[in-house]
Amino acid sequence: MAKKEFKAESKRLLDLMINSIYTHKEIFLRELISNSSDAIDKIYYKALTDDNISFSKDDYFIKIEADKDNRILKISDTGIGMTKDELEENLGVIAKSGSFAFKKENEIKDGFDIIGQFGVGFYSAFMVADKVTVISKALGEEKGYKWESTGAEGYTIEDADKAEVGTEIILQIKPNTEDESYDDYLNEYRLRSIVKKYSDFVRYPIKMDMKTSKLKEGSEEEFEEVVEEETLNSMVPLWRKNKSELTKEDYENFYSEKHYGFDKPLKYVHISADGAVRYNAILYIPEKMPFDFYTKEYEKGLELYSSGVMIMNKCSDLLPDYFSFVKGMVDSEDLSLNISRELLQHDRQLKLIAKKIKDKVKSELLSLLKNDRENYEEFFKNFGRQLKYGIYSNYGMEKEVLQDLLMFYSSTEKKMVTLDEYVERMKEDQKYIYYAAGESNDRLDKLPQTELLTDKGYEILYFTDEVDEFAIKMLMSYKEKEFRSVSSKDLGIDMEEENKKTEEIKEENKDLFTFMKEALEGKVTDVRPSVRLKNHPVCLSADGELSIEMEKILSAMPNAEGAKAEKVLELNINHEIFESLKAAFENDKEKLKMYTNLLYNQALLIEGLSITDPVEFTNNICKLMS
Ligand SMILES: Nc1ncnc2c1ncn2[C@@H]1O[C@H](COP(=O)(O)OP(=O)(O)OP(=O)(O)O)[C@@H](O)[C@H]1O
């Protein structure tokens, strides 16, 4: 029997194939099963178009058999088989896809799941096998044929006995090496898990004999080992089923079977799209935050299937970072895959799907907010910060998508509110959306800077997440209302009278304020009478863009020294302490210095900042007391 050589290019290609195209060796099983599934699909298609062929689903299956002793793995199917010529053409020429040709010849367009297109998948078998034997009998043929190859040297074809139509792929599994345990591909449990991972939704049963331990008949404690044929795959993917037939439990089971999370999904969406790009997707919003969610280790992405075969475990291009909490899968027959099927070409279709998914997640979240407030708040508690990062990190470009999803704690409502609700409730004379940034709601409730606004009955949003103020700086305004910090110089309140009075007092006490500023030795850029304080004696505010809260956050980051807010010490000129200051300025400058430092340190403490010299601070208080 003459050995035929692979074409020269094929030799090189085969070498490439075996060594570089696939990153995971286990993929060979996916490829061989996909071929078998294609072969059964072809019979099914023929039966639809030819009355002489009948197709009874029960007769069609794929079988995996592992023979550990002889290191043989066999994958057989009851598909359409290959003629001698087809064996020659399809397996003798690398990059020739009989499946692709079949699709073209039969003008199969939609609805069929034929997977093969490149004509290379078969050769992945050589990643794990020294020798590959294919015994096949084609539909309508009398005889079967055997194709055999040990790799780059070439292949042989000879007659073979085969009773039934179909194909057997027999792999002589390689011996183990130091780095690789090929035994894995003879182990039923490992094989079962590879099938589950990649081929769970192949439409025909994939069967294997599995050893299990069972109670002996008639006995209550004695077990015996029995071999039973098991169907390894679930076949019909949930996402192909009719939504109306599915229950909440079905979706919840799928979520846990797929290990999307240990929790239950808070919400799920099932999309079947038939427009410019056809795809099915099941998306979940988890109820609980994954423990590593806000760490670098967390990987976003959706499972990606192409015609029911898993291509990618976590396709990150399908989700924007701000929706990285979404779990689930997408299946589309319209994707342009690369040759290894492990990666996508830069794909317009994928971009389209990603855009649709983004819109869908947004609208689902909005509907959750509208119809199920309690759960939305729960969701926001877990993932709201990610949405705010989304506004910040995209230079505000995504604000249209995200701003309606934001929530903050409200000073007047004492609960979480949306920006829309805030704007709806704004007082007629209110110019800005006010916010106060700080450590906790309790602390912000007591912040002296809010006194004037609270007095006027204005609502204040509390920013307690580090990212809040940064995100709002990107947002700038909502429904044409600008955001304004309670500590900013201009609160947009008409206070001509008060301002005039303040100016007068400032002028009268010019030297006192200058003295106090100098006493603080550059720690503040100004000391001035406050317009916002009502009962408290002092507070800090900031001139310029950088707030004190932002300075706090930035200075906690590495390499961020130097980011300093322009701090202003504001004094309540209606407070009795102001009289003491004036008196000290007249009579005892040393005392005024001490008072100034005390007041400054108090303002720092109120702001949640630490004081540089706590010992001096306490000593000064003792001095006052004695
Ligand atoms: N089990 C099988 N039964 C019938 N024909 C098969 C079988 N396995 C392979 N073939 C034929 O061999 C051809 C080459 O297979 P191969 O896996 O290399 O490529 P493919 O499946 O067409 O494309 P891809 O590289 O995208 O998987 C197939 O197109 C098909 O015609």
Side-chain angles (χ1 to χ4, degrees):
M1 179 187 23
K3 190 177 254 183
K4 301 194 180 183
E5 285 194 13
F6 286 115
K7 302 258 158 59
E9 304 82 349
S10 302
K11 267 189 187 170
R12 280 216 312 277
L13 208 64
L14 191 60
D15 190 48
L16 236 162
M17 205 49 242
I18 299 168
N19 299 308
S20 30
I21 290 190
Y22 299 106
T23 37
H24 303 290
K25 289 198 161 56
E26 65 186 26
I27 289 275
F28 81 93
L29 193 58
R30 176 188 77 178
E31 293 300 319
L32 297 181
I33 289 173
S34 297
N35 284 348
S36 292
S37 161
D38 280 356
I40 301 175
D41 260 354
K42 288 173 196 168
I43 284 210
Y44 175 51
Y45 183 78
K46 287 266 182 225
L48 287 180
T49 49
D50 183 342
D51 291 342
N52 297 320
I53 305 166
S54 65
F55 186 91
S56 151
K57 227 176 164 183
D58 294 344
D59 299 338
Y60 294 93
F61 59 87
I62 299 158
K63 174 119 193 192
I64 300 177
E65 288 158 277
D67 172 355
K68 283 195 190 95
D69 298 337
N70 296 306
R71 299 189 75 75
I72 297 244
L73 178 67
K74 188 159 114 186
I75 295 116
S76 42
D77 63 63
T78 53
I80 198 161
M82 281 176 273
T83 62
K84 190 176 180 191
D85 285 350
E86 281 168 342
L87 279 169
E88 178 103 35
E89 273 177 35
N90 296 335
L91 307 185
V93 186
I94 300 173
K96 168 120 191 186
S97 170
S99 293
F100 186 72
F102 183 90
K103 245 169 145 174
K104 270 188 115 173
E105 264 162 44
N106 293 287
E107 292 180 1
I108 298 178
K109 287 189 192 81
D110 306 340
F112 266 79
D113 276 341
I114 289 187
I115 304 153
Q117 50 175 329
F118 298 115
V120 295
F122 168 78
Y123 304 96
S124 62
F126 287 105
M127 292 193 296
V128 300
D130 287 329
K131 185 170 83 179
V132 179
T133 309
V134 180
I135 301 174
S136 193
K137 182 170 153 184
L139 181 70
E141 291 283 305
E142 290 291 309
K143 271 167 62 180
Y145 293 92
K146 178 165 112 178
W147 178 101
E148 197 162 76
S149 170
T150 51
E153 277 78 52
Y155 59 92
T156 56
I157 295 183
E158 59 188 283
D159 292 0
D161 285 335
K162 190 167 186 327
E164 308 291 337
V165 169
T167 303
E168 287 171 7
I169 315 277
I170 300 153
L171 309 182
Q172 180 70 56
I173 297 292
K174 289 181 181 178
N176 290 340
T177 63
E178 250 176 49
D179 321 319
E180 192 81 41
S181 161
Y182 292 97
D183 281 0
D184 275 14
Y185 308 118
L186 294 162
N187 173 313
E188 286 102 349
Y189 297 100
R190 179 81 172 95
L191 290 165
R192 179 167 67 181
S193 83
I194 303 174
V195 170
K196 272 269 167 213
K197 181 169 173 191
Y198 296 103
S199 311
D200 199 26
F201 304 113
V202 161
R203 294 197 290 176
Y204 306 102
I206 304 167
K207 299 177 181 182
M208 186 162 68
D209 290 340
M210 297 291 294
K211 273 198 205 105
T212 45
S213 176
K214 273 200 164 170
L215 266 184
K216 251 188 177 167
E217 231 181 64
S219 159
E220 286 193 359
E221 66 230 18
E222 241 187 295
F223 283 86
E224 63 178 346
E225 211 165 61
V226 288
V227 175
E228 275 181 354
E229 191 177 68
E230 198 179 293
T231 296
L232 308 179
N233 55 331
S234 1
M235 288 185 277
V236 184
L238 192 73
W239 61 87
R240 292 271 179 95
K241 289 189 183 158
N242 207 330
K243 279 177 235 176
S244 57
E245 288 165 20
L246 294 168
T247 62
K248 189 169 168 235
E249 278 72 44
D250 290 325
Y251 290 105
E252 286 180 355
N253 289 341
F254 187 70
Y255 182 84
S256 55
E257 269 167 30
K258 285 277 174 191
H259 305 295
Y260 291 146
F262 297 109
D263 54 344
K264 273 195 178 157
L266 189 71
K267 193 163 172 78
Y268 59 82
V269 206
H270 187 162
I271 314 173
S272 310
D274 234 349
V277 49
R278 289 162 301 173
Y279 69 95
N280 291 291
I282 299 179
L283 308 174
Y284 293 97
I285 293 163
E287 185 184 50
K288 298 211 165 68
M289 185 169 68
F291 69 93
D292 60 348
F293 186 65
Y294 287 108
T295 69
K296 268 203 263 148
E297 278 66 47
Y298 182 81
E299 239 185 292
K300 66 162 182 169
L302 298 176
E303 280 184 303
L304 183 65
Y305 288 80
S306 166
S307 306
V309 178
M310 221 256 283
I311 303 300
M312 235 190 238
N313 211 349
K314 284 207 164 136
C315 179
S316 61
D317 289 346
L318 283 169
L319 290 175
D321 280 345
Y322 50 80
F323 288 158
S324 61
F325 47 82
V326 175
K327 303 275 181 193
M329 53 65 55
V330 171
D331 182 22
S332 173
E333 43 192 299
D334 287 347
L335 299 168
S336 324
L337 302 174
N338 80 351
I339 201 161
S340 68
R341 258 194 274 277
E342 287 172 3
L343 288 167
L344 295 154
Q345 322 271 36
H346 271 293
D347 192 328
R348 203 175 57 85
Q349 311 287 14
L350 192 77
K351 282 209 177 97
L352 262 172
I353 298 177
K355 161 91 178 62
K356 300 257 180 221
I357 284 179
K358 177 173 95 177
D359 294 346
K360 188 73 187 170
V361 172
K362 180 188 170 175
S363 70
E364 286 300 317
L365 286 174
L366 283 175
S367 102
L368 191 68
L369 171 63
K370 203 167 144 216
N371 306 318
D372 186 357
R373 179 76 171 217
E374 201 180 316
N375 270 329
Y376 186 82
E377 286 186 23
E378 191 56 35
F379 153 78
F380 196 82
K381 207 158 75 192
N382 288 327
F383 304 112
R385 203 194 298 172
Q386 192 65 7
L387 303 181
K388 295 185 266 189
Y389 277 123
I391 293 188
Y392 174 65
S393 59
N394 294 292
Y395 300 101
M397 284 204 339
E398 296 291 321
K399 64 183 179 188
E400 293 301 323
V401 183
L402 297 171
Q403 59 189 2
D404 291 317
L405 298 172
L406 297 183
M407 288 194 116
F408 297 100
Y409 186 83
S410 149
S411 65
T412 52
E413 306 301 299
K414 301 286 171 219
K415 61 173 189 179
M416 299 297 279
V417 300
T418 64
L419 294 176
D420 190 49
E421 287 159 357
Y422 183 103
V423 170
E424 281 297 304
R425 265 199 296 270
M426 271 171 79
K427 298 245 183 285
E428 231 168 80
D429 60 346
Q430 187 181 341
K431 223 163 136 189
Y432 299 122
I433 302 174
Y434 296 108
Y435 67 83
E439 233 166 63
S440 65
N441 295 339
D442 283 348
R443 255 193 125 123
L444 288 170
D445 260 341
K446 297 186 189 116
L447 201 68
Q449 286 93 319
T450 60
E451 284 188 318
L452 174 70
L453 297 169
T454 311
D455 241 30
K456 287 191 115 358
Y458 292 165
E459 183 174 0
I460 301 167
L461 299 176
Y462 288 174
F463 287 2
T464 48
D465 253 346
E466 292 185 348
V467 65
D468 287 345
E469 241 186 315
F470 293 89
I472 285 309
K473 291 263 180 241
M474 291 296 167
L475 207 54
M476 283 186 305
S477 62
Y478 179 81
K479 297 210 166 153
E480 289 168 18
K481 301 286 180 200
E482 273 178 50
F483 289 91
R484 214 18 87 93
S485 158
V486 295
S487 320
S488 79
K489 210 170 177 179
D490 171 20
L491 289 174
I493 294 169
D494 184 16
M495 297 201 303
E496 224 173 289
E497 283 280 296
E498 290 92 328
N499 284 344
K500 223 168 105 201
K501 195 177 147 216
T502 315
E503 273 312 308
E504 277 167 24
I505 292 182
K506 194 175 170 189
E507 198 45 45
E508 273 168 33
N509 298 282
K510 211 165 86 194
D511 296 339
L512 166 66
F513 289 118
T514 313
F515 180 89
M516 288 180 78
K517 184 181 158 189
E518 277 162 14
L520 287 172
E521 296 168 343
K523 288 182 205 118
V524 295
T525 47
D526 203 8
V527 178
R528 64 177 171 238
S530 177
V531 282
R532 77 193 91 228
L533 290 174
K534 291 265 162 186
N535 302 309
H536 284 74
V538 274
C539 73
L540 280 178
S541 67
D543 281 351
E545 276 300 293
L546 199 67
S547 74
I548 293 171
E549 211 41 44
M550 287 163 103
E551 176 194 306
K552 250 196 261 174
I553 295 156
L554 289 175
S555 58
M557 290 178 182
N559 311 322
E561 291 125 40
K564 288 263 174 269
E566 294 172 32
K567 293 193 198 74
V568 175
L569 183 67
E570 295 193 6
L571 295 177
N572 183 350
I573 46 180
N574 299 316
H575 197 280
E576 54 209 21
I577 196 83
F578 191 55
E579 295 310 314
S580 312
L581 293 173
K582 281 203 281 195
F585 183 61
E586 292 303 323
N587 309 321
D588 186 349
K589 296 269 187 332
E590 270 315 299
K591 202 175 189 183
L592 178 59
K593 238 186 195 170
M594 180 177 81
Y595 282 178
T596 308
N597 271 301
L598 272 172
L599 286 172
Y600 172 70
N601 283 332
Q602 284 178 32
L604 285 179
L605 288 175
I606 291 170
E607 224 26 73
L609 293 162
S610 57
I611 46 186
T612 2
D613 193 345
V615 178
E616 191 199 10
F617 178 65
T618 38
N619 284 344
N620 281 340
I621 291 181
C622 289
K623 240 191 239 172
L624 279 183
M625 290 162 85
S626 54

